[in-house]
Amino acid sequence: MTIAPYNQDYYDNYGHANEKYLDSVAVKFGLEGLARALHKELKPKSHLDVGCGMGFMVEAMRKLGVESYGIEKSEYAAENCVDGAYPYVDAIDFVEFVPDKKYDLVTCVEVIEHIEPFQTEEFITGLCDCSDYVYLSSDEDYNEPTHTNVRTSGEWKKLMLDRGYIDLKFSYNRIPWGVLYKKAETYSEFERYYDLQTRTAVINRDKGRCLVCGTNRYHVHEIVPRSAFGVREMSNCYVVKNRCLLCPSCHTEAHTVKNRIAMLGIMSEKYGYKYPEQWFQKYTQE
């Protein structure tokens, strides 16, 4: 599969639906609605739309009083964008773009699934370099011939989390798979995010009782400690299979290598968990 040329033929038959991009009500109102929703949520003063197409988002943000700009790889799209965006759109490949400032918000709507897979890491890093707030959406349509880099929402989320970005409770019904990310300001904020992701699942799995003695007083315990993972891999510390419920007394006893090894054995026996990953090796090989 090869990258499409994104020329006039592409935009005159957008999505292979025999519809011109500029005439698409779904695209126009979808992006204008997204601009309003994001503006209501964040009140940004500056905005960059990466892969802006013909500039619907840029124009909509400008109407809301935002200093908005667009970057578009397709020279045809940049040269034929809507009037309200035309002076503010540059024809440039984002992987070659060097920002001269950070923006209050960066959006990338249905773009990243079109790039070459080997460019993914660089592309995601570039988005994060441009702003502490990134809205990213990429659907999972494997049948669209120009989608050369389709991934699940979980895979995109992992790439953002690896760069210190957590997803916010923001939703826009026209693009239900889109996610608004925020760069975590502190290590503790990052930890709280991971903690909340699995805490309820662990409490339900252990039925609200200490895994060792069965009392219904409990703390949520990370078996292999955070220090074993490091900042970039910290999310793995908070996965369900590395967490269990322990009462205050058992919790006090749990913070030794010997007892961590014992807890992994209990988890394997009770729940069938396996621990082949590198972070668990110290605690599974006596």
Side-chain angles (χ1 to χ4, degrees):
M1 190 177 292
T2 58
I3 298 293
Y6 303 112
N7 53 19
Q8 182 174 355
D9 289 340
Y10 175 82
Y11 283 95
D12 282 351
N13 186 27
Y14 184 68
H16 300 271
N18 198 29
E19 178 182 42
K20 288 188 176 182
Y21 182 92
L22 281 176
D23 295 337
S24 173
V25 174
V27 172
K28 176 179 173 62
F29 287 102
L31 293 175
E32 288 179 350
L34 176 60
R36 289 192 296 271
L38 287 169
H39 184 263
K40 181 179 179 181
E41 180 77 13
L42 298 177
K43 297 294 189 294
K45 294 182 179 179
S46 61
H47 163 248
L48 177 68
D49 191 22
V50 175
C52 66
M54 292 184 169
F56 286 124
M57 273 282 285
V58 175
E59 182 180 61
M61 283 290 190
R62 286 270 165 183
K63 288 180 179 178
L64 293 168
V66 181
E67 185 184 354
S68 180
Y69 299 93
I71 293 173
E72 173 53 53
K73 181 177 180 178
S74 167
E75 291 187 7
Y76 174 79
E79 291 172 358
N80 291 274
C81 63
V82 294
D83 291 343
Y86 185 79
Y88 312 107
V89 172
D90 287 328
I92 185 172
D93 191 336
F94 181 65
V95 296
E96 300 173 358
F97 175 67
V98 179
D100 58 357
K101 66 175 183 178
K102 292 197 76 168
Y103 297 83
D104 292 339
L105 170 66
V106 165
T107 54
C108 185
V109 183
E110 313 307 310
V111 173
I112 200 166
E113 68 269 24
H114 293 270
I115 70 171
E116 293 281 13
F118 73 86
Q119 295 178 313
T120 302
E121 294 278 349
E122 182 182 4
F123 195 97
I124 291 287
T125 297
L127 294 177
C128 295
D129 286 343
C130 288
S131 181
D132 290 343
Y133 287 89
V134 176
Y135 178 85
L136 179 64
S137 73
S138 175
D139 68 36
E140 298 179 26
D141 184 0
Y142 290 88
N143 296 319
E144 162 62 56
T146 64
H147 288 184
T148 58
N149 192 30
V150 177
R151 306 189 186 206
T152 65
S153 59
E155 289 176 295
W156 294 125
K157 185 176 293 187
K158 179 64 167 60
L159 287 167
M160 294 298 291
L161 288 171
D162 286 346
R163 288 155 178 80
Y165 283 70
I166 59 179
D167 60 293
L168 300 178
K169 292 182 179 179
F170 170 85
S171 62
Y172 174 61
N173 59 9
R174 287 180 179 266
I175 311 177
W177 52 85
V179 179
L180 176 61
Y181 295 94
K182 172 197 173 187
K183 185 175 183 180
E185 296 177 5
T186 63
Y187 187 83
S188 60
E189 182 181 12
F190 210 33
E191 282 190 299
R192 284 197 301 274
Y193 170 81
Y194 285 126
D195 174 41
L196 292 171
Q197 298 303 298
T198 56
R199 175 174 286 269
T200 300
V202 172
I203 293 171
N204 290 337
R205 182 201 62 197
D206 294 350
K207 296 180 172 58
R209 294 185 176 276
C210 173
L211 200 62
V212 175
C213 70
T215 183
N216 60 2
R217 295 177 62 236
Y218 61 80
H219 297 161
V220 179
H221 169 62
E222 284 73 55
I223 302 171
V224 174
R226 285 163 286 184
S227 59
F229 296 90
V231 175
R232 282 185 63 83
E233 303 293 347
M234 188 172 62
S235 60
N236 295 289
C237 177
Y238 292 88
V239 296
V240 170
K241 71 177 185 180
N242 193 49
R243 310 189 84 187
C244 66
L245 301 188
L246 295 177
C247 70
S249 178
C250 292
H251 198 190
T252 300
E253 300 295 324
H255 295 128
T256 66
V257 172
K258 179 180 178 180
N259 286 335
R260 292 184 192 279
I261 291 171
M263 286 306 306
L264 290 174
I266 293 172
M267 294 283 279
S268 295
E269 181 178 351
K270 187 173 180 64
Y271 298 120
Y273 293 135
K274 300 186 184 302
Y275 298 93
E277 299 92 335
Q278 59 178 321
W279 311 284
F280 297 101
Q281 289 178 1
K282 174 182 177 182
Y283 299 92
T284 55
Q285 300 175 6
E286 295 184 72

